[in-house]
Structures are given as C-alpha cells and as structure tokens.
Amino acid sequence: NKYSKEDVLRISNEQGVEFIHLQFCDIFGILKNVSIPIEELDKALNNELMFDGSSIDGFVRIEESDMYLRPDTDTFVIFPWRTSSGVEARLICDIYNPDGTPFEGDPRFVLRRNIEEAKKLGFDAMNVGPECEFYMFLTDEKGNPTTVTQDSANYFDMAPVDLGESARKEMVSTLKQMGFDIEASHHEVGPGQHEIDFKYDNALTTADNIMTFKMVVRIIAQKHGLHATFMPKPVHRIAGSGMHMNQSLTKDGKNAFYDPEGPMELSQYCYYYIGGLMKHAKALTAVTNSIVNSYKRLVSGFEAPVYIAWSGRNRSPLIRIPAKRGNSTRIELRSPDPTNNPYLALSVALAAGLDGIKNKILPPKAVDRNIYKMGRSELEDLNIERLPASLEEALIELEKDEVIKNALGSHVYNKFVEAKWAEWNSYRNYVTQWEIEQYLTKF
Ligand code: ADP
Ligand code: MG
Ligand code: MG
Ligand code: MG
Ligand code: MG
C-alpha cells in the first residue's frame, strides 16, 4: 500500500490541509463529494463517517439511507490548486452498508468484484490505458458555455495566446503534480478538440484516474475561461470525443496477451478475450456508451467504430490490436466514450473478455480493410454486424445478455436500465430542431 492511515494524517498536517473531499461516484459516473474539515479526518479514516445514500441518484431508498464511507488511503492526493478555503485534499471512498458489508450499488465495488473473477481464473490484474478526448468551448459574456471553439471563432484570430493550448498545458502539469504519468497530449482532429493520454495501470486505479482526470480538465478549463466537455458529439458533422480503452491481462506477472509463438504474436487468451468482447459487444455498448448523444458519435466517417470487427491494422473496427508486443501487447476497444461510468465500463469489458476465455470463444477472422467502404451485401457475406445505433437498441441488447447483467449485479443493473429507459423516452418524446427544419414548412 502506498499510504497508511498515519501517513495521510501526517502529510495532511505537514501540508496544512484544511478540507478533505471524500469522493465516490454514482451509477451514472457522476463524481460526488462530501467535504469535511481536517478535524474530522481521523474519524473518516476510522470508517465512521456516514452520509445519506438516498440523496444520491440510483443508490437507495430513504428507508435504508444510512451509508458509510471508507476512504481508500492509496487515493490520497493534495490538490495542486488553491481555493479560498486554502489547501484541499481528496480521498476516494468505498461505500459500505451499516452492517459492514460492501454496498452493491457502489460502482467501485462492482469493478472490484469483476477483478476478483479475473483472479479466480488465474489473472493477477487487468491493465487499462484510456485515451480521453474532449472539447473546450468558449463561454459567453454571462459565463455560459457555448459550442463555439476558439479555433473556429474568427474574432479571436488576433488573440495573442491560444487559450486551448495553454489550458491543456496547465492540465498536463497539474495532473503530473497529482502523480499522473502523462504519455502524450495533443490537439485532436476537431476544432477545439484535445486528447491527453496517461499511462496504463490496474483497472481500479485507472477508473479512479479517469474520474480525477475529468475533474481536473473541467477545473483548469474554467480557470482559462473555457468550458471543457466530454459530451461524445457536441457538434454535428465534426469528430466526436471517444475514450479508447487499451486493455490487457497479466498472469504470473507477465502480459498474458503476448505469445512470441502465437499467430500475430498474440496468445490464445488474447484471441478468446477478443472473441468474448465481440460476442457481448452489443449489450456492453449500453454501458460504455451510456447516453442518447453517444450514438451520434458512433457513425461512419469519423474513425469511430460502427461495426463489430477487429483488426491488427486499420482504425475503423471496434477492436484494434496496436502493433507493439512484449509488455505493451494490448487490445484497444474503440467504442467507449468519456461520459460512461469508468468502473462499470471496465467491469463489462472485463466480464465479456473473461467469458471469452472461460468458454474458449474464438473471434471471426480479422477484417483489415476499411469497413466503412463495404456495401451491405459484402458486410452480410462476411457476417459483420453493427453496433447498436441508439440507446434504445443498446438497452434491448443489454436486457438479453446475462453475462453483462451479472457483471453489473442486480442492484446496479436495475437502477441503470430504469434510468436509461426514462432518459430514452424523454428524448423520444422531444421535438427536435432537425424536425422543425425538415417538416414545418414542407407539410
Ligand atoms: P493510439 O495509438 O491509439 O493513439 P495511445 O498511444 O494514445 O494510443 O495510447 C495508448 C494507451 O495504451 C496508453 O494509455 C498506454 O499506457 C496504454 N498501454 C500501453 N501498454 C498497455 C498494456 N499492456 N495494457 C493496457 N494498456 C496499455
Ligand atoms: Mg491516442
Ligand atoms: Mg498515440
Ligand atoms: Mg484520439
Ligand atoms: Mg487510440
């Protein structure tokens, strides 16, 4: 373990920490905060801190609302930025019932449970490296976010500094101060679109890191007068924001997807894992692409996947095998977007891959050609199916898939589908600007 309870208390005192944010995440991937003054830290570290679970979306009913927060001391970090209340730190927490059992609606617990399944099959860890994309938009005179970027706003052409680039630089340096190992950061294809990649780690740490990453990106953008958004498709006809998930398993401390003797230097485990992901791809999309807007990104022409296929070469299929081998051997799942709940998204991906390994599911042949350019009959001949085209289709698939439902557990599954059907129906009833433009004068 990185930090003991005593370490956290000592460092907090040494650094003059005044407030601690106890963080956790709801089923929908929204970061929650319970802030406590430093005087309460000891109590919190003894797991004596209670909060009202009924106040959190998708958690529990009022009658059973008492929940306990158990801070994970390894997640202790002091915020490098200062606020009016001085030095602040945070701890990510697990959520427990009053009887001392883990709360099954806690996404972090769901991921822990799936990681245990991997251990039972002899894998020490799932490693994940995410590639988070996001847009930074200008805010108007009132400070409200627009969908105009500095790149596209020509009245800003004369601005001496590029707001987006300097915001991204500060994001990178802030993340580094918080212990992130940043591997790359660059402007993406869309105007105002950026990507920051950090080094892979075990699945639980990476899910925590993704939550922290999104928080930092928003805070730093705001400091620069910009609004950062992880919305998958904020602007029509312009590339959406994804969050590719690079993943691998380790066995006996070694990368279990690498086999110098195997076809393409990939192990049997790797092929089965791909087979499992492909088998459950439709259902798990409801979790990895969990909002109405996610499906406006999963369309052809923008490097986002539309078809369920894999390739060692090109970037149009759902799963790509990057060229690196040895310890870097991994598969890249290209469908997820950064609005998902990372704990749940990693849970369903892992469960799908493990199902492939358990049942020796072989993937179909790799498709090394551009799938976007194939006609319908060719797709049918090659047996290439497409991903769900809407949240509705994805939910229907999720309801049919026992492996993915099990990965979520009944509590999370029930709350998730209930809320997501409500979200879909609310959208379905809405009359959009597109319909007005198309039909109002025509009929
Ligand atoms: P791309 O070529 O798709 O743009 P990037 O270089 O942007 O990929 O990101 C690669 C990601 O994969 C990084 O987060 C990196 O840490 C991660 N990665 C590297 N090796 C592994 C591995 N063995 N398992 C999981 N992720 C890995
Ligand atoms: Mg990348
Ligand atoms: Mg790259
Ligand atoms: Mg990218
Ligand atoms: Mg990628």
Side-chain angles (χ1 to χ4, degrees), residues 83-132:
T83 65
S84 49
S85 34
V87 185
E88 298 182 0
R90 77 89 198 269
L91 285 158
I92 296 178
C93 302
D94 292 301
I95 302 169
Y96 276 73
N97 297 310
D99 67 3
T101 53
F103 173 49
E104 53 174 9
D106 176 8
R108 217 166 177 252
F109 169 68
V110 173
L111 181 54
R112 282 185 191 281
R113 192 164 43 69
N114 284 286
I115 291 168
E116 274 315 303
E117 290 303 313
K119 293 204 169 133
K120 281 184 203 157
L121 292 174
F123 298 103
D124 341 301
M126 177 201 202
N127 281 324
V128 184
E131 302 170 55
C132 289

Side-chain angles (χ1 to χ4, degrees), residues 27-265:
I27 289 176
F28 311 105
I30 306 297
L31 183 71
K32 301 288 168 182
N33 255 308
V34 176
S35 298
I36 54 164
I38 187 74
E39 292 76 22
E40 294 276 296
L41 179 58
D42 193 44
K43 192 173 160 196
L45 290 169
N46 289 327
N47 307 324
E48 288 163 12
L49 222 93
M50 227 170 64
F51 78 103
D52 178 5
S54 67
S55 62
I56 308 292
D57 258 5
F59 268 25
V60 283
R61 294 186 310 260
I62 318 241
E63 309 86 79
E64 48 192 31
S65 62
D66 285 350
M67 295 287 182
Y68 284 85
L69 292 175
R70 289 199 185 178
D72 181 340
T73 50
D74 284 346
T75 65
F76 177 70
V77 66
I78 293 176
F79 292 152
W81 59 88
R82 297 288 167 263
T83 65
S84 49
S85 34
V87 185
E88 298 182 0
R90 77 89 198 269
L91 285 158
I92 296 178
C93 302
D94 292 301
I95 302 169
Y96 276 73
N97 297 310
D99 67 3
T101 53
F103 173 49
E104 53 174 9
D106 176 8
R108 217 166 177 252
F109 169 68
V110 173
L111 181 54
R112 282 185 191 281
R113 192 164 43 69
N114 284 286
I115 291 168
E116 274 315 303
E117 290 303 313
K119 293 204 169 133
K120 281 184 203 157
L121 292 174
F123 298 103
D124 341 301
M126 177 201 202
N127 281 324
V128 184
E131 302 170 55
C132 289
E133 295 172 338
F134 57 92
Y135 273 89
M136 283 192 273
F137 291 119
L138 296 170
T139 49
D140 64 18
E141 316 77 58
K142 289 185 188 133
N144 295 320
T146 66
T147 52
V148 180
T149 66
Q150 191 190 5
D151 296 19
S152 58
N154 40 25
Y155 61 88
F156 255 107
D157 276 355
M158 300 303 285
V161 287
D162 183 331
L163 287 175
E165 297 294 321
S166 52
R168 201 184 68 229
K169 271 189 203 144
E170 192 179 335
M171 289 165 187
V172 168
S173 66
T174 305
L175 289 163
K176 280 184 176 164
Q177 288 176 65
M178 295 173 81
F180 279 70
D181 191 343
I182 306 293
E183 291 192 331
S185 103
H186 54 87
H187 201 291
E188 259 298 340
V189 290
Q193 193 187 25
H194 298 264
E195 175 176 318
I196 300 177
D197 303 321
F198 48 90
K199 191 171 191 264
Y200 71 91
D201 210 320
N202 71 72
L204 190 71
T205 305
T206 293
D208 288 344
N209 284 344
I210 292 170
M211 295 306 294
T212 306
F213 175 85
K214 291 198 268 192
M215 171 185 75
V216 169
V217 164
R218 286 208 193 85
I219 290 173
I220 305 298
Q222 209 171 29
K223 274 183 63 181
H224 290 251
L226 296 166
H227 176 74
T229 183
F230 294 95
M231 184 177 172
K233 191 79 173 186
V235 186
H236 175 47
R237 286 207 197 96
I238 291 183
S241 294
M243 186 184 71
H244 299 164
M245 280 170 25
N246 294 270
Q247 46 200 296
S248 62
L249 296 173
T250 60
K251 204 178 175 79
D252 306 321
K254 292 202 195 89
N255 188 319
F257 285 180
Y258 177 56
D259 178 0
E261 310 293 312
M264 288 172 69
E265 292 180 71

